[in-house]
Amino acid sequence: MCCDPAAALPETRYVESDGLSIAWQVFGSGTQDLVVVPPIISHVDANWQYEGYARMLRRLGESFRVIIFDKRGQGMSDRFEGAPTLEERMDDLLAVMQAAGSERAILFASSEGGAMGALFAATHPTRVERLVTGEPHENRTDEWHRGDQHAGQRAGQVLLGVADQQPRDADLDHRVGQQRAPVRQQRA
């Protein structure tokens, strides 16, 4: 279970996208919006049950107004027949941002969400302040769900660095490279 059971969980809200209800939550005290584009599996309510992931979300909420959502067909969002396209998922992301009143946000896209985040940034460049990907070709979110507190911290440190210093793109690329190198060495 999450690290602080007494902490209030964000309200789960719903927005319609292409006839489906998409579940989303917003929390945090920051002035800049951060949208967490979900990895291969998402469940906005269950996220808070996994200590490492919940810790990362709460920490991000200290610096950002964080928006999380469930992809169509997953978690608290409506089920449907078939497999969604990236374009449909991208439309869901836009609907969530509009419902949350987010005009422009940093996108944090991990695992499978990396492709959707990149497509969204290319299609809606005025809505994206910055795109930060967390292992877009590998699925490491299983570490967060097993309670590996360090997995969430590694991703959160990169994002919190963005909040603290607002580096130029080249600076961010350099810092992401520095952040990832020790992780690879630990796994070798």
Side-chain angles (χ1 to χ4, degrees):
M1 285 305 231
C2 177
C3 45
D4 184 2
L9 298 181
E11 174 188 359
T12 300
R13 303 171 190 194
Y14 296 88
V15 63
E16 186 174 320
S17 178
D18 193 27
L20 298 173
S21 292
I22 305 300
W24 62 281
Q25 296 175 345
V26 62
F27 57 92
S29 55
T31 58
Q32 186 169 32
D33 288 349
L34 171 72
V35 178
V36 179
V37 181
I40 194 163
I41 297 173
S42 62
H43 194 298
V44 294
D45 286 348
N47 286 342
W48 301 100
Q49 296 176 14
Y50 300 99
E51 184 177 342
Y53 198 79
R55 183 180 299 115
M56 179 193 74
L57 291 175
R58 290 196 192 289
R59 179 79 195 278
L60 292 173
E62 293 172 5
S63 298
F64 298 99
R65 178 176 173 256
V66 181
I67 302 164
I68 61 175
F69 67 100
D70 284 336
K71 296 185 291 190
R72 59 175 58 206
Q74 294 190 10
M76 303 296 290
S77 291
D78 282 350
R79 303 294 184 259
F80 68 101
E81 294 292 322
T85 65
L86 278 177
E87 291 79 8
E88 290 170 325
R89 287 185 174 169
M90 181 182 65
D91 291 344
D92 297 345
L93 170 55
L94 181 60
V96 167
M97 285 181 69
Q98 290 171 335
S102 178
E103 293 297 318
R104 189 167 170 84
I106 295 173
L107 300 185
F108 173 44
S110 64
S111 180
E112 182 187 74
M116 182 180 24
L119 180 62
F120 187 89
T123 306
H124 302 283
T126 60
R127 305 293 303 248
V128 179
E129 174 71 29
R130 179 175 317 273
L131 172 62
V132 178
T133 59
E135 304 194 28
H137 300 293
E138 300 178 67
N139 183 10
R140 298 274 189 223
T141 55
D142 59 330
E143 295 170 339
W144 297 345
H145 293 282
R146 282 196 319 263
D148 178 358
Q149 61 185 330
H150 301 295
Q153 289 171 350
R154 289 188 294 267
Q157 287 169 349
V158 172
L159 288 169
L160 292 172
V162 171
D164 294 342
Q165 298 179 10
Q166 290 297 313
R168 294 185 321 274
D169 290 345
D171 292 339
L172 181 62
D173 292 341
H174 177 71
R175 290 176 56 211
V176 169
Q178 286 180 337
Q179 179 64 29
R180 292 180 66 129
V183 175
R184 288 188 185 133
Q185 290 172 359
Q186 290 172 358
R187 296 180 194 282

